[in-house]
């Protein structure tokens, strides 16, 4: 039998709990709102930066074409470096737009061959750097029922990283396949590059986080964050395992 004091304490507890719940709901709504605003801001800034950049690039080209002869060697080099900088900035803008788009674009599910898509990405990488000796081992016939374009971005980034971070290997090997972990189909991309330090595990999927040795390879540090967003939208998860000097393996799952 409850005493008056018990009932009072219980009612107080319930009221406090309800209030706390309301606070959490309010905070969540505010957080979602802020995230949406931030996304819109990112998108607009990235998008609007394009036109002035293209203008500067265009004027650099015209200056080179019209005044190129009169300019000294040094000035021509400066102009060239300005153009290189603009091209790199344009790439960063594209990466930011991609990152932003991944949070908003609609998912189009279709059944397709993920192995064939991996082959296409591998061929693309080879075409860009035909002098590199990289052996791809791609398991055949991996069928999935998900968004093809988004998974192309995933494989583009994972295989692209594997390609980039094995640059110092004379004989690089990159593997794409599927295995079963805890009863779930788990896709993997493995390379025999330098791998990375365990202490950076949490940082890999955060935008603009690059490991010290990767700075020289001039990435932006946005690729894996984009991949993580896509995988999360597919109801899956992604993680990495590695051993320094023995290469890296990235695993991801997709919801059924
Ligand atoms: N296969 C890999 N082997 C070793 N390090 C890797 C590998 N993949 C990713 N990393 C590390 O994780 C960091 C984040 O990868 P991410 O793809 O996000 O950025 P990035 O490749 O530097 O630039 P980008 O935005 O052009 O992809 C990299 O800078 C690198 O330090
Ligand atoms: Mg990358």
């Amino acid at each position: 039998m409850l005493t008056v004091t018990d009932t009072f304490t219980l009612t107080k507890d319930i009221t406090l709990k309800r209030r706390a719940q309301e606070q959490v709901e309010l905070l969540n709504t505010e957080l979602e709102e802020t995230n949406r605003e931030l996304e819109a801001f990112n998108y607009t800034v990235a998008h609007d930066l394009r036109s002035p950049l293209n203008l500067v690039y265009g004027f650099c080209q015209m200056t080179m074409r019209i005044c190129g002869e009169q300019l000294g060697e040094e000035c021509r080099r400066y102009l060239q470096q300005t153009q290189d900088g603009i091209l790199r900035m344009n790439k960063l803008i594209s990466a930011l737009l991609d990152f932003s788009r991944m949070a908003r674009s609609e998912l189009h599910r279709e059944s397709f061959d993920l192995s064939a898509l991996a082959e296409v990405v591998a061929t693309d990488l080879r075409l860009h750097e035909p002098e590199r000796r990289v052996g791809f081992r791609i398991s055949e016939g991996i069928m999935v029922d998900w968004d093809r374009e988004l998974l192309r971005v995933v494989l583009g980034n994972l295989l692209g990283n594997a390609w980039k971070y094995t640059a110092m290997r004379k004989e690089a090997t990159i593997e794409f396949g599927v295995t079963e972990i805890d009863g779930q189909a788990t896709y993997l991309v493995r390379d025999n590059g330098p791998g990375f330090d365990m202490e950076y595990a949490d940082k890999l999927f955060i935008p603009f986080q690059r490991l010290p040795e990767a700075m020289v390879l001039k990435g932006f540090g946005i690729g894996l964050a984009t991949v993580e967003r896509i995988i999360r939208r597919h109801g899956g998860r992604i993680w990495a395992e590695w051993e320094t000097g023995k290469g890296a393996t990235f695993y991801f799952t997709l919801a059924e």
Side-chain angles (χ1 to χ4, degrees):
M1 180 103 162
L2 290 174
T3 63
V4 176
T5 329
D6 283 345
T7 318
F8 177 72
T9 317
L10 207 64
T11 318
K12 208 168 126 199
D13 273 0
I14 293 173
T15 316
L16 279 178
K17 213 169 161 187
R18 196 179 312 126
R19 247 188 237 147
Q21 248 167 6
E22 279 167 8
Q23 287 272 339
V24 170
E25 274 165 28
L26 191 74
L27 278 176
N28 274 341
T29 319
E30 278 173 7
L31 204 67
E32 266 172 36
E33 182 83 355
T34 314
N35 269 346
R36 259 201 306 275
E37 276 169 17
L38 209 63
E39 276 312 330
F41 174 78
N42 273 353
Y43 191 82
T44 313
V45 170
H47 201 263
D48 291 357
L49 272 176
R50 273 248 158 92
S51 27
L53 258 193
N54 288 342
L55 205 71
V56 178
Y57 190 81
F59 278 117
C60 279
Q61 267 188 325
M62 268 167 67
T63 312
M64 193 77 111
R65 204 175 307 136
I66 299 170
C67 325
E69 302 277 287
Q70 290 120 276
L71 293 176
E73 178 71 20
E74 207 177 354
C75 284
R76 279 212 296 272
R77 209 175 53 240
Y78 290 155
L79 266 182
Q80 189 55 51
Q81 282 172 358
T82 310
Q83 282 182 300
D84 290 349
I86 294 171
L87 286 180
R88 181 160 162 77
M89 198 154 161
N90 237 328
K91 274 195 192 159
L92 172 59
I93 290 175
S94 299
L96 281 173
L97 284 174
D98 269 354
F99 181 59
S100 207
R101 221 173 271 139
M102 293 318 143
R104 325 147 140 245
S105 68
E106 261 177 53
L107 294 178
H108 298 286
R109 284 183 81 144
E110 60 180 306
S111 172
F112 68 94
D113 187 342
L114 197 56
S115 309
L117 191 62
E119 290 285 358
V120 171
V121 174
T123 307
D124 240 33
L125 289 165
R126 279 212 179 96
L127 281 175
H128 273 93
E129 279 177 90
E131 67 287 355
R132 285 219 24 216
R133 287 164 62 105
V134 180
F136 277 97
R137 284 206 302 257
I138 297 178
S139 304
E140 282 180 18
I142 302 175
M143 296 299 293
V144 290
D145 184 12
W146 270 108
D147 189 307
R148 188 189 172 89
E149 276 319 300
L150 293 187
L151 285 182
R152 190 190 165 101
V153 176
V154 168
L155 290 186
N157 272 296
L158 293 180
L159 293 171
N161 277 348
W163 178 277
K164 183 160 63 169
Y165 296 110
T166 50
M168 55 292 284
R169 282 269 184 275
K170 251 196 186 135
E171 304 273 338
T173 46
I174 299 175
E175 191 186 329
F176 170 70
V178 65
T179 176
E180 204 181 287
I181 296 179
D182 295 333
Q184 192 176 15
T186 306
Y187 308 90
L188 64 93
V189 172
R190 177 173 292 141
D191 65 59
N192 67 339
F196 29 78
D197 223 312
M198 197 73 177
E199 65 175 294
Y200 294 112
D202 307 335
K203 294 193 177 155
L204 291 174
F205 302 100
I206 300 174
F208 305 115
Q209 294 283 343
R210 290 168 299 171
L211 311 190
E213 59 276 21
M215 304 291 190
V216 287
L217 292 168
K218 290 192 177 161
F220 296 119
I222 191 80
L224 284 179
T226 307
V227 167
E228 196 271 341
R229 261 191 180 186
I230 298 175
I231 300 291
R232 202 158 12 105
R233 289 200 63 197
H234 282 78
R237 71 185 192 96
I238 179 162
W239 69 98
E241 281 174 10
W242 61 89
E243 240 179 283
T244 309
K246 279 199 176 166
T249 309
F250 283 83
Y251 295 94
F252 64 94
T253 59
L254 302 167
E256 293 298 314

